[in-house]
Amino acid sequence: MVTGSEPTNQLLHVNDEPIVDQLSIELLLSIFEYALGPCDHDYGWRYYHRLCALSRVCARWYSIMKHSPQLWTTVPGFIKEGGLRKILERSSGKHIDIKCNHEAVHFTTYFDILDSASERWRTLSLKTSRTVALEHQTHDFLQLSAPNLERLSFQISHWNPVDMRNVEFFRGNCPNLKEVHISGITREWSQAAFKELEVLKLSYVDFDSVGAILDIIRPLSQLRKLEIYNCKIDEELSASSRPVSLPNLQLLRVEFHPEGEVKIPIEQVLNRILAPPACPLYISFDNYGVEEEGPVAETFCDWLFGRRTKAVLEGVERLTLGFSNSEDDLCSLVTFKLHSGSANIRGGFKDSQMEHGLYVLEYIQGLFQWASASETFTQLTVSENRADFLNNSEIIASFKRLPPITHLELIRPEWSSHNSPSEATSDSEDLASSTEPYSTIKHVILWEVPSDGILDIVLGALGDSRERAPLIAEWRVEDLDHVEIHVDERDFHEAEGVVEVLRNDPRIGKVDLYVAL
């Protein structure tokens, strides 16, 4: 019989062992992998810093980490010789992902160690500035046998391209190689190892002509994604060049560098790439002047829309239109998606001045005029500093020709001080007419907007006196059906107070708060 303080003492004894020490190895590994995160930021520096810190917590954790090969499969460029050998040993025969910056390592020592494990390479990512010594070592390294390689990223500073003539990538034998990104090298490489590619990106590569590009992609019938950007062309295409069939293509991006020797008519490329009608197209208009607006934008529209069936074009019912920064530079990227039943038409373009882009938006507006849908609408998505477009009079005018904007999505919006809303519209008559495109908005989706910014945006749209700054001066509505807010986990509690204010506003139908993942 247990009396007095015995039950309490027994309970304390049961809990002497911390709960975390009672977890299974499998569950602990899952927790570790979540805490460590992906090993691709800063070439793995943060990843291995965290891994070493966790392994010092206790002997059990050290043993688990040391004998878990899946935690040691990324080889960063900053690692020293001893650490590199340790990673290869602890990864225990598993396939490895090499992510190397030449400036961060002693190149010769680094690859003298890695070449003995070339049959284990799964990813090879090399970024470097060119020197003559590195060029010869790189040639040797890229010609090793790597039968299990799946992804290759070889990027050289485009100021000093590397001569890759007569280089036989991986001895021409890479049956698992599916994705390649090549940047900053000369054209004349052997690509026998590329036959099964599904993704190909070429940037900062100098080509003799468009025909040289076609010769590269001609044997790649399995391509799903093809991106050619910031490349220079020296000559126009020969009239005798044969077209290339890419029956599996799911995305095409073509952008020529504005400093090329000649301005290549975009139809020279598009008319010789035979892709499925549903393939999205992304191009840049920034290499073409205003005088070329019609032909260039018309070619884009003909390739993207002209190959679709009449049923798809007449069935368009909804437009998703986005303004953001492109991934590889600060040019304006405009993307769109037209929904037509189970089909859709996707595309996009860069246009710093939006001169050619307005032609495309007018073309899309024409499609909706002929559409059979009784009700059509637009979702407008704006990211980061493209939020300035919301106060641009020319952009606003183009919105008027599109289906009514009912959904507005803002992703980390930024407004520059020199393009403030207060300066955007000086005439009261202009303001009254410019509110029309935004007056139909009923749904607002906000991603990672500061709490005070949420109130400024939403209450400003409702004309509330509590707003501090009219971030979108032309936007005024009487009520909103739905406000959806996504915030960083660290800002969740602060955002709850903002949500409470909005939920108490009778002009707003529903307010939802989510943690952005």
Side-chain angles (χ1 to χ4, degrees), residues 226-247:
L226 173 61
E227 298 186 54
I228 305 168
Y229 56 96
N230 290 326
C231 294
K232 293 182 182 180
I233 308 295
D234 294 332
E235 298 177 3
E236 291 194 21
L237 183 65
S238 168
S240 61
S241 295
R242 295 181 294 111
V244 173
S245 177
L246 300 175

Side-chain angles (χ1 to χ4, degrees), residues 150-445:
E150 299 175 10
R151 293 175 294 274
L152 169 67
S153 178
F154 185 45
Q155 301 180 57
I156 309 298
S157 169
H158 58 277
W159 302 111
N160 297 292
V162 167
D163 187 346
M164 298 298 290
R165 281 176 293 187
N166 302 319
V167 172
E168 181 74 55
F169 278 96
F170 312 113
R171 302 180 184 176
N173 181 29
C174 266
N176 298 309
L177 186 59
K178 302 298 182 184
E179 182 174 339
V180 169
H181 181 188
I182 292 179
S183 178
I185 69 175
T186 58
R187 151 71 185 95
E188 297 86 358
W189 65 80
S190 172
Q191 56 181 52
F194 295 177
K195 293 179 181 178
E196 303 300 322
L197 281 191
E198 296 180 358
V199 178
L200 176 62
K201 299 181 184 181
L202 301 174
S203 60
Y204 296 103
V205 179
D206 295 348
F207 292 99
D208 295 335
S209 69
V210 175
I213 298 177
L214 298 179
D215 290 342
I216 288 176
I217 64 176
R218 195 178 305 281
L220 309 180
S221 60
Q222 300 301 315
L223 271 186
R224 294 184 295 103
K225 185 176 181 180
L226 173 61
E227 298 186 54
I228 305 168
Y229 56 96
N230 290 326
C231 294
K232 293 182 182 180
I233 308 295
D234 294 332
E235 298 177 3
E236 291 194 21
L237 183 65
S238 168
S240 61
S241 295
R242 295 181 294 111
V244 173
S245 177
L246 300 175
N248 298 296
L249 201 62
Q250 299 175 17
L251 183 146
L252 175 61
R253 175 186 175 190
V254 181
E255 301 172 14
F256 294 125
H257 199 285
E259 297 179 2
E261 294 296 325
V262 295
K263 286 188 177 180
I264 301 299
I266 195 67
E267 63 267 20
Q268 284 196 1
V269 180
L270 298 183
N271 290 345
R272 286 172 172 80
I273 295 181
L274 308 180
C279 178
L281 173 63
Y282 298 86
I283 71 172
S284 174
F285 293 130
D286 286 334
N287 194 24
Y288 303 93
V290 180
E291 69 280 0
E292 301 166 282
E293 174 182 337
V296 176
E298 184 178 350
T299 298
F300 173 80
C301 292
D302 285 347
W303 197 93
L304 192 59
F305 302 108
R307 303 178 306 130
R308 304 308 294 263
T309 65
K310 181 179 179 182
V312 169
L313 296 177
E314 292 184 350
V316 293
E317 55 192 5
R318 177 161 55 99
L319 168 66
T320 301
L321 181 65
F323 292 83
S324 64
N325 289 331
S326 64
E327 294 180 359
D328 47 86
D329 53 45
L330 296 180
C331 292
S332 170
L333 178 63
V334 181
T335 59
F336 54 83
K337 182 178 181 180
L338 285 79
H339 305 259
S340 176
S342 60
N344 60 70
I345 305 173
R346 291 185 294 133
F349 53 84
K350 293 179 185 176
D351 192 353
S352 300
Q353 305 301 319
M354 279 300 292
E355 291 151 344
H356 306 273
L358 292 177
Y359 178 99
V360 178
L361 294 182
E362 289 178 359
Y363 192 103
I364 292 174
Q365 186 269 344
L367 293 178
F368 279 96
Q369 283 187 335
W370 292 97
S372 57
S374 57
E375 294 185 10
T376 59
F377 67 91
T378 297
Q379 173 171 319
L380 182 62
T381 299
V382 181
S383 301
E384 301 172 345
N385 64 4
R386 298 300 113 182
D388 283 336
F389 280 10
L390 295 172
N391 295 309
N392 183 296
S393 58
E394 289 189 53
I395 301 297
I396 292 171
S398 71
F399 291 162
K400 294 180 183 180
R401 296 188 287 268
L402 298 173
I405 300 173
T406 58
H407 295 65
L408 175 63
E409 182 178 33
L410 299 176
I411 304 172
R412 298 181 296 278
E414 302 172 9
W415 282 269
S416 58
S417 57
H418 70 274
N419 191 22
S420 62
S422 60
E423 300 172 357
T425 311
S426 57
D427 189 278
S428 58
E429 183 177 346
D430 290 341
L431 176 61
S433 63
S434 66
T435 60
E436 181 183 341
Y438 301 144
S439 63
T440 52
I441 294 174
K442 291 295 183 181
H443 304 264
V444 181
I445 306 145

